Structure formats: C-alpha cells, structure tokens
Amino acid sequence: MKKILQDYTKEELATMVKPSFRAKQIINWTYHKYALSFDEMKNLPKNMREELDKEFTLTPLKTLMVQDSKDGSRKYLFELHDGHTVEVVLLLMRDKQFHEDGTIKHQKRYTVCVSSQVGCKVGCAFCLTAKGGFMRNLTAGEIVSQLLMVKKDNDIDANRRVNIVYMGMGEPLDNLDNVVQAIKIFSDPDGLAIATHRQTVSTSGLSSKIKKLGDMDLGINLAISLHAVDDELRETLMPINKAYNIKSIIDAVKKFPINARKRVMFEYLVIKDVNDQMESAKKLLKLLNGIKAKVNLIYFNPYGGTEFKRPHQEDMFRFQEYLTKRGLHCTIRESKGLDISAACGQLREQEKDGELNARN
Ligand code: SAH
Ligand code: SF4
C-alpha cells in the first residue's frame, strides 16, 4: 500500500526525498495549489514525479456526500481507503469588521470541524458517533486531508484564515500521537499555516492525556466536553467519568498552558430535564471558579431512537443569564446546520440507513 503524503511533516519529507529541497516544493503543490497528483507538480523532474507516485498517494479520502445547511454550514462524508467513513463540517461565520471610515464590512470566517477516529470508544449516552462503536484511529494524513478536501471543494484561497476544531467524530486524545502530528502539519508556515492558537482540541476529559498534551506546550486551545457538574450524573452520560472524574479534569485544566488572551472552553450539552436545572448552573459556576473559562451551552440535537430531548429556549436563557451575571463568559450554541443533522455521527448514520443521496 502507498504511503499517505500528508502523514509527514516537511522536515520528515526532506529526509525521504532527494534532494531534500524538493520537500518544500511538494508541500507547496499539495497545500497551496491543492494538487491531486504528482504529475501536476511541473517544477519537479519527470522521473521524480514517477517515483513519488509509486511511493505515495495524495488522495487518501474520497467524497461520498455533501449536504448544505440553510445557515451556510456544509457537511461532508468522506470515505477512507478501507471503506470506513468520516464526517467533516465546514462552518461559516460572518464577522463584522469596523473600519476607520465608519463602514462596516462583513467578513466570512471559516472553521472546519475535523474527525480524529472512525467511531469512538468513549461511548457517551447522547452521542450518535458512539452508537456505531469504534473502528480505528485516523492517521495524521487522513486528518489533514479532511481540511484540504474542504478547502479545494469550496475554492478557499490558500492564504485565507481557517480555524480547526477537533470536534468531529472520535476522541482526539485517544489518538494523541496522530492528532499532535496533524497539529504540527497544519501549522507549518510553508503548508496550511494554521497557527496553533487557531486549533482547538475538544475532549471528553482524558485527564492524563490533557496533562501530556499540556506538557508539549503547543499553543493550542482546549475545549472540555463537561456536560454535567456532578460525578453521578456525568457517569451515566459519559462512562469515561468513572476513570477520570470531574476533579481530575479540573486539576488537569488548571495546569494546562493557555495563551494569555484565551480561555478554556467548557462545552455543556443541555438536555431537557437532565442537566438544564438552575441547580446545575449554580454548581457549574462554583466548579469553574478560579479558571479562565468560557462556557458554551449547546442545545441537544435529537435523533431517531434517543430518549433525550432538546431543552426549552427559556431554560437555556435562564442558565446563561445566571452565569453571565456572575461574570462567567457564556454563549449559547445552536448546533450548526440543524437541518442537516448537525452533530457529528448523524450524517454517517443516515447514510447507513440509505436516507441520503450522494452528490458526487
Ligand atoms: N470526543 C470529543 C470531540 C468530538 S464530540 C468530545 O466529546 O469532546 C464533539 C461535540 O459534539 C461534543 O461536545 C459532544 O458533546 C457534541 N455532541 C454529541 N452528540 C450531540 C448531539 N446529539 N447534539 C448536540 N451535540 C452533540
Ligand atoms: Fe466520543 Fe465525543 Fe461522542 Fe463522547 S461525545 S462518544 S467522546 S465523540
């Protein structure tokens, strides 16, 4: 089987190709010009292109499906070489920019939500990704290629700023080595040039791995999927809490190196009658006391076969108001692309059920 070119950093490629300066040219073709074959790399000698083609593939992913949402987000289902599938979401936010002449310009900001595993071992009760079980880890190249495919498909200029969130399928810290390699490849200034402070790793709370990642001091952002404020409830929602309880997560977060201008994000998936009561808001405020935190309340996005329900808007607002009034940053997030089965794992499940039609 051919090696995946995007699995390697520029420095590693420089030791694999001769002469080594060719590595930078290959990186440029791959990440700036979105080349899909070595034959396109016209400033490389023909025999070298042929040799590279024998050894490497540039296309580890195949597009199976694309779905557009009314809110501008776009969801992809990609097939891996072994037939497994992963989801990726392109989120589009409009930022207001105020100019000195008094005009306001709207700028599009892209965020790509990438997957790190096929399925997930963590097994959260509310998560559709978990229902399919765990298949395998993605390689760094399979993670990096998700962004490349999305940039190419949307004609996103190589120099446009893009944010990465590891909030797709899988638990990134359960695939730490490959995720760290992907973070490094994403941030290569000669390649995709996504600074580490534009990359956010979201975790269900593997405390020992949070510590390990923190010790690497990469400059990335951290998001904790908390979802519950006492261990008893959290264990029923997220079985991983038996191994890593809330206190161990908070301890690990306190030691995590955070950029001076940033905050650790705590994701709180709100489920009706499960964790939407004011009692939880009070405990949450207490729990995050002393941490440079921001809370993101997420509406639970229901799907067929789940007993969990979407919370009422008033309860979300009340929860948010309680926290913000007491100085804790708190935003409410509608699962983006609600009409296209927003939360990760949902598109893949529909495809298995044969509900969707492929675009490509
Ligand atoms: N495994 C990591 C990253 C992927 S999950 C983690 O758990 O943090 C990304 C986010 O999707 C998590 O915060 C998760 O809680 C959320 N999610 C899962 N199922 C959802 C649903 N049905 N509705 C809304 N969000 C959901
Ligand atoms: Fe895995 Fe995250 Fe889903 Fe939990 S929420 S099962 S950790 S992907």
Side-chain angles (χ1 to χ4, degrees):
M1 210 179 77
K2 288 185 189 180
K3 295 177 191 142
I4 297 172
L5 186 108
Q6 294 89 341
D7 272 340
Y8 303 96
T9 62
K10 180 179 62 211
E11 291 73 23
E12 287 166 347
L13 280 177
T15 66
M16 299 164 90
V17 297
K18 280 193 183 65
S20 59
F21 74 87
R22 297 288 183 196
K24 200 165 159 180
Q25 293 174 321
I26 297 168
I27 292 279
N28 187 271
W29 279 105
T30 309
Y31 297 114
H32 289 195
K33 303 200 180 97
Y34 309 138
L36 296 179
S37 73
F38 290 103
D39 208 37
E40 293 170 48
M41 304 185 181
K42 293 297 182 200
N43 56 352
L44 304 184
K46 191 161 191 307
N47 66 333
M48 182 175 197
R49 282 183 262 149
E50 285 167 1
E51 288 304 312
L52 284 169
D53 185 53
K54 277 187 211 146
E55 195 174 349
F56 294 101
T57 174
L58 284 161
T59 53
L61 307 177
K62 204 172 99 191
T63 307
L64 277 189
M65 249 184 255
V66 186
Q67 256 191 316
D68 284 324
S69 166
K70 288 190 212 104
D71 65 19
S73 49
R74 181 169 277 179
K75 193 155 189 165
Y76 290 85
L77 188 69
F78 293 129
E79 187 179 42
L80 307 164
H81 68 85
D82 54 7
H84 289 310
T85 55
V86 288
E87 294 181 18
V88 181
V89 187
L90 171 67
L91 301 161
L92 197 61
M93 328 253 185
R94 275 173 215 287
D95 271 354
K96 273 188 195 162
Q97 283 198 327
F98 299 93
H99 290 261
E100 280 171 15
D101 60 4
T103 56
I104 298 173
K105 281 204 181 114
H106 290 266
Q107 217 210 353
K108 281 191 218 160
R109 194 158 54 95
Y110 293 108
T111 297
V112 177
C113 176
V114 296
S115 289
S116 56
Q117 297 179 316
V118 183
C120 186
K121 282 182 215 162
V122 177
C124 300
F126 50 78
C127 177
L128 205 49
T129 296
K131 302 270 184 278
F134 172 78
M135 295 302 168
R136 71 169 171 92
N137 284 331
L138 296 188
T139 72
E142 287 168 334
I143 298 172
V144 170
S145 297
Q146 295 171 35
L147 174 71
L148 266 183
M149 297 283 280
V150 170
K151 281 186 91 171
K152 188 174 170 82
D153 189 52
N154 292 278
D155 281 326
I156 300 176
D157 189 84
N159 298 315
R160 268 305 287 275
R161 273 193 187 157
V162 176
N163 298 322
I164 298 281
V165 291
Y166 296 82
M167 290 184 187
M169 298 168 66
E171 168 50 56
L173 297 193
D174 189 33
N175 184 17
L176 187 61
D177 291 347
N178 293 344
V179 167
V180 167
Q181 174 84 343
I183 291 169
K184 288 181 180 160
I185 297 168
F186 277 133
S187 63
D188 179 356
D190 291 322
L192 290 157
I194 303 173
T196 50
H197 68 264
R198 298 195 171 279
Q199 301 187 46
T200 302
V201 170
S202 174
T203 177
S204 55
L206 282 69
S207 314
S208 59
K209 298 287 179 69
I210 295 174
K211 175 146 193 330
K212 210 168 156 190
L213 182 66
D215 288 344
M216 293 179 202
D217 204 6
L218 298 171
I220 52 152
N221 305 312
L222 184 65
I224 303 289
S225 289
L226 193 65
H227 311 328
V229 283
D230 46 68
D231 284 318
E232 203 183 328
L233 174 62
R234 198 165 188 272
E235 270 173 29
T236 64
L237 295 175
M238 307 174 76
I240 187 113
N241 199 74
K242 290 184 191 124
Y244 302 103
N245 65 14
I246 296 176
K247 185 180 178 307
S248 78
I249 297 172
I250 297 294
D251 287 347
V253 168
K254 283 183 175 161
K255 291 191 193 104
F256 196 87
I258 297 293
N259 183 307
R261 282 172 301 175
K262 302 270 180 172
R263 291 167 184 278
V264 176
M265 165 128 77
F266 285 85
E267 310 253 19
Y268 192 93
L269 180 69
V270 187
I271 307 173
K272 186 174 178 292
D273 299 332
V274 173
N275 60 0
D276 59 349
Q277 302 89 347
M278 287 315 291
E279 203 48 44
S280 298
K282 283 179 194 165
K283 282 189 189 165
L284 184 58
L285 184 75
K286 231 170 132 184
L287 189 69
L288 301 185
N289 185 23
I291 298 178
K292 256 185 82 186
K294 66 178 174 201
V295 172
N296 199 1
L297 301 177
I298 312 164
Y299 280 96
F300 174 71
N301 190 27
Y303 48 86
T306 179
E307 79 265 34
F308 295 127
K309 294 192 186 70
R310 187 183 157 86
H312 289 307
Q313 200 182 39
E314 312 85 78
D315 292 329
M316 289 291 264
F317 287 161
R318 202 173 328 127
F319 203 112
Q320 181 192 30
E321 197 189 0
Y322 179 85
L323 299 179
T324 47
K325 273 198 170 158
R326 284 155 187 83
L328 184 57
H329 287 230
C330 178
T331 51
I332 293 181
R333 194 175 79 202
E334 185 58 77
S335 288
K336 276 266 178 185
L338 201 62
D339 51 323
I340 55 165
S341 40
C344 274
Q346 300 197 0
L347 183 65
R348 185 163 160 259
E349 286 301 313
Q350 283 182 27
E351 193 245 355
K352 279 197 210 147
D353 295 345
E355 281 180 34
L356 297 172
N357 298 311
R359 184 180 87 174
N360 288 315

